[in-house]
Amino acid sequence: LLCTDCVQHIIVTTENLQKVAVWVLQQIEDLGFKFKKGNTQVSLISQDKMHILGFNGAEGLAINTTKTNIFSSTWHDQAQIKVIYGMPTANLVWVLGHELAHVLVSQHQYRFTTQEKEEGFCQLVALLISERSANPLMPRIIQKELKNRDPIYGEELREAYRQYQKVGFQKYFQTFL
């Protein structure tokens, strides 16, 4: 069941999804990232379909497609982001921030020592975007994510956030270039 505030802010149309996606992309650019537009599609998906895809419990999914030439040079070609239908806007901001960060990683071929570190980076991007939101539910989402006990999405977020607070975003980010 959703609380009364959540019901007032759920995303059930592609039009509303696109409005939130445009806002999140602007925040990514305001953070100093260059997001290559035009080759990323964002769409709503049911929880059942997400389960069928093998991602039971996931709220979002980024599917990046790359191409390789005859010289084994690889580049980002396109991306699809799937997000769960009926999600409150505050959740959607976090999820889109996280998934678009995965697309950013693919577009620029950022390298991380582990997949867990990439997840921490994507969680940090989602946090920094979410902190810019005036949505009244956002403080709940931020606290939920910062307290998440998951060793990847929770602990790696906290570690990335500690590094960010210690050295600033630019220095933190430079470690992945």
Side-chain angles (χ1 to χ4, degrees), residues 28-29 31-37 104 107-108 110:
I28 286 173
E29 290 179 356
L31 286 171
F33 292 109
K34 302 286 188 260
F35 192 93
K36 299 173 187 170
K37 296 178 183 173
L104 196 66
Q107 285 182 344
H108 295 282
Y110 300 143

Side-chain angles (χ1 to χ4, degrees), residues 11-138:
I11 299 295
V12 293
T13 67
T14 302
E15 181 182 339
N16 287 344
L17 172 64
Q18 294 305 320
K19 287 179 184 177
V20 176
V22 166
W23 184 85
V24 170
L25 279 172
Q26 183 59 56
Q27 304 318 302
I28 286 173
E29 290 179 356
D30 290 350
L31 286 171
F33 292 109
K34 302 286 188 260
F35 192 93
K36 299 173 187 170
K37 296 178 183 173
N39 60 352
T40 301
Q41 183 182 55
V42 180
S43 59
L44 297 168
I45 187 173
S46 70
Q47 286 181 337
D48 290 341
K49 188 119 182 195
M50 188 72 85
H51 178 73
I52 290 167
L53 290 173
F55 296 93
N56 193 28
E59 294 179 307
L61 173 65
I63 304 167
N64 290 297
T65 305
T66 58
K67 288 191 175 180
T68 305
N69 65 19
I70 60 171
F71 304 108
S72 297
S73 179
T74 303
W75 67 93
H76 175 89
D77 183 44
Q78 61 182 336
Q80 293 180 27
I81 295 177
K82 309 285 188 190
V83 294
I84 297 296
Y85 172 88
M87 187 184 304
T89 305
N91 291 66
L92 180 62
V93 167
W94 186 284
V95 170
L96 276 178
H98 178 98
E99 300 305 338
L100 285 167
H102 279 299
V103 175
L104 196 66
V105 167
S106 178
Q107 285 182 344
H108 295 282
Q109 299 181 350
Y110 300 143
R111 299 287 176 235
F112 295 85
T113 56
T114 65
Q115 183 64 39
E116 290 83 0
K117 296 297 180 197
E118 180 178 334
E119 293 298 342
F121 168 79
C122 293
Q123 285 288 82
L124 177 60
V125 171
L127 172 65
L128 297 175
I129 290 168
S130 296
E131 287 178 335
R132 296 165 174 240
S133 172
N135 186 297
L137 302 176
M138 193 54 75

Side-chain angles (χ1 to χ4, degrees), residues 1-12 47 59 84-91 137 140-141 144:
L1 287 173
L2 293 173
C3 69
T4 306
D5 287 338
C6 296
V7 170
Q8 293 175 3
H9 295 97
I10 61 172
I11 299 295
V12 293
Q47 286 181 337
E59 294 179 307
I84 297 296
Y85 172 88
M87 187 184 304
T89 305
N91 291 66
L137 302 176
R140 292 183 208 171
I141 301 303
K144 177 188 83 151

